[in-house]
Amino acid sequence: MASFRCHLLLLTLLSLAAAISAHNITAILEANPEYSQYNSFLTQTRLADEINTRTTVTVLVLSNGVMSSLAAKHPLSVIKNALSLHILLDYYDPAKLHKISDGSVLTTTLYQTTGHAPGNLGFVNITDLSGGKVGFGSAAPGSKLDSSYTKSVKQIPYNISVLEISAPVIAPGILTAPAPSASDLNITALLEKAGCKTFASLIVSSGVLKTFQTTADKGLTLFVPNDEAFKAKGVPDLTKLTNAEVVSLLQYHAVPKYTPKGALKTTKDPISTLATNGAGKYDLTVTTSGDQVTLHTGVDSSRVADTVLDSTPFSVFTVDSVLLPTELFGKSPSPAPSMEPVAAPSPTPVLAPSPASVEAPSPLAASPPAPPSETPAGAPSDAPSAAAEDSTSANGAGHVTSPALLMTVLTVASVTVIASVFLS
């Protein structure tokens, strides 16, 4: 009995500690109006979604006056690249800034993950300067430390840190990079190069390409099946569809807004497509598992495989399967019952009585192994600073809890308790 009470106490303590903090950068910055323009551009470029899906991240924010100067003469796609360089994929609070090994470090940014940053242009140089100052600059050779740490805005150790810096970090060429409009892009050439020649041919022959081109500048996301997807078992014969049905099928693979992968990961509601109209919903639902994103149609599902293009306001992804809407192909069919041969009747033989059989007890089902615990990558070994703790407690904006993780911890703890009770 004493053992049971001990384990019950352990379960209670685990449940209290299981409300793990996540973050919402939009809510954090809304509590600080001096960063309203920076916050607005994070939303417009959908970088806020990328930040919110990261387990460990540091955001270098700019005040409204500095942000206005940066955004004044540049299109949204260039601003997105510039801001991506201010999103560090590691945790830096004020204490860690002053404990950098050898006084200087190169850290990876979100810009490095886009594929647009050759060499080390996607890295930021952080240097602990004399007099207690910390400088920031591009990691490109010959770059200067044109920016410095100003103040701490918010920390949720070791999840997210928001720091204000005095000036933008500018990598060579990042503001002068050409930013062609989406309508100027050769969509068919882009798709053919990505191994989607069948889909490219269909949008040309059906006239859907023109719809994509006119929609792209306002915001467009394409989910394009590769050529092997059209050869897969179960894909309907498209030659038996009417022209209108083919158009609806192709438009079903397009969302009339810019939706990068980070935004897909945070999507909860059904997504409308270009095929959505009064006669049918033609929508998609999204599920995620780690970094994997899956689209569901009601008939089938498909993994979002690769990013072909992510250039605000146009994004293109390849998918593993042709997306089949229920409006054209009905709901997912249930598996047909197996057919067993019917044997011809035969005379029943007379059997000698057999001894009564004793039914063996069924073995207990094995308990599933507990899921492995994970530690966020890049978590520093040193404890959070007093400033970080004060920042965390003083402002609760941006906190959200993780009920799924809570349930996982409680489940593991419950299994442990039950097993211990039976074994004690």
Side-chain angles (χ1 to χ4, degrees):
M1 189 64 180
S3 175
F4 176 78
R5 289 176 180 173
C6 181
H7 290 301
L8 186 60
L9 176 60
L10 175 63
L11 177 59
T12 303
L13 292 175
L14 283 173
S15 64
L16 291 175
I20 305 300
S21 293
H23 57 264
N24 184 326
I25 186 62
T26 303
I28 291 173
L29 295 183
E30 280 177 349
N32 299 272
E34 63 268 35
Y35 310 119
S36 60
Q37 289 199 33
Y38 190 98
N39 199 16
S40 174
F41 279 110
L42 287 184
T43 300
Q44 292 179 56
T45 58
R46 307 306 293 268
L47 288 174
D49 296 318
E50 289 283 355
I51 294 170
N52 291 340
T53 61
R54 296 283 170 174
T55 304
T56 304
V57 67
T58 298
V59 183
L60 305 178
V61 299
L62 304 169
S63 64
N64 288 337
V66 177
M67 189 67 220
S68 296
S69 300
L70 175 64
K73 299 179 180 180
H74 302 291
L76 193 61
S77 57
V78 170
I79 295 173
K80 179 179 181 179
N81 287 341
L83 293 185
S84 297
L85 196 63
H86 293 71
I87 301 170
L88 314 182
L89 305 185
D90 199 352
Y91 181 84
Y92 290 92
D93 59 15
K96 186 176 178 179
L97 289 179
H98 294 287
K99 295 180 181 178
I100 296 173
S101 301
D102 301 323
S104 184
V105 67
L106 301 184
T107 188
T108 311
T109 71
L110 191 62
Y111 185 52
Q112 183 68 24
T113 68
T114 63
H116 303 320
N120 58 357
L121 291 187
F123 290 81
V124 163
N125 178 5
I126 307 176
T127 300
D128 190 6
L129 303 172
S130 59
K133 293 185 178 181
V134 178
F136 293 84
S138 170
S143 298
K144 298 180 180 180
L145 299 174
D146 292 327
S147 182
S148 60
Y149 166 70
T150 303
K151 65 178 181 179
S152 169
V153 178
K154 174 77 174 179
Q155 279 82 44
I156 305 177
Y158 294 98
N159 190 202
I160 184 171
S161 177
V162 183
L163 308 173
E164 181 187 311
I165 57 176
S166 62
V169 177
I170 305 297
I174 197 171
L175 297 182
T176 58
S181 65
S183 58
D184 293 333
L185 291 171
N186 188 332
I187 296 177
T188 54
L190 189 70
L191 300 185
E192 290 173 356
K193 186 177 179 180
C196 305
K197 294 181 180 180
T198 303
F199 190 86
S201 175
L202 286 171
I203 62 175
V204 171
S205 61
S206 64
V208 172
L209 175 61
K210 293 182 179 179
T211 304
F212 288 172
Q213 289 172 330
T214 56
T215 308
D217 280 333
K218 299 176 183 177
L220 182 67
T221 299
L222 299 182
F223 301 111
V224 187
N226 56 42
D227 291 336
E228 293 301 316
F230 284 94
K231 303 174 185 177
K233 183 180 179 181
V235 175
D237 185 355
L238 302 186
T239 62
K240 296 182 179 181
L241 300 179
T242 65
N243 290 337
E245 289 172 337
V246 170
V247 168
S248 294
L249 176 63
L250 297 174
Q251 290 182 341
Y252 186 61
H253 289 74
V255 175
K257 64 180 180 179
Y258 173 61
T259 314
K261 194 170 183 179
L264 285 174
K265 290 179 182 178
T266 60
T267 299
K268 304 298 182 185
D269 299 323
I271 302 175
S272 297
T273 65
L274 276 179
T276 301
N277 54 49
K281 293 197 301 182
Y282 283 95
D283 57 14
L284 297 165
T285 56
V286 182
T287 59
T288 60
S289 177
D291 196 51
Q292 181 173 306
V293 177
T294 303
L295 304 176
H296 305 273
T297 70
V299 176
D300 62 355
S301 60
S302 180
R303 179 180 67 99
V304 176
D306 298 308
T307 302
V308 178
L309 177 71
D310 184 359
S311 180
T312 311
F314 187 30
S315 56
V316 181
F317 302 96
T318 58
V319 291
D320 291 337
S321 307
V322 179
L323 303 176
L324 304 176
T326 57
E327 287 77 5
L328 294 179
F329 303 103
K331 294 185 178 180
S332 180
S334 301
S338 59
M339 300 297 294
E340 298 181 357
V342 179
S346 57
T348 304
V350 178
L351 300 177
S354 59
S357 61
V358 179
E359 184 178 354
S362 59
L364 293 174
S367 299
S373 59
E374 296 184 358
T375 301
S381 58
D382 55 309
S385 65
E389 294 291 349
D390 291 342
S391 175
T392 303
S393 60
N395 184 1
H399 280 81
V400 294
T401 57
S402 178
L405 186 56
L406 172 61
M407 290 304 298
T408 301
V409 174
L410 291 178
T411 301
V412 174
S414 299
V415 171
T416 304
V417 170
I418 293 171
S420 300
V421 169
F422 279 102
L423 292 175
S424 61

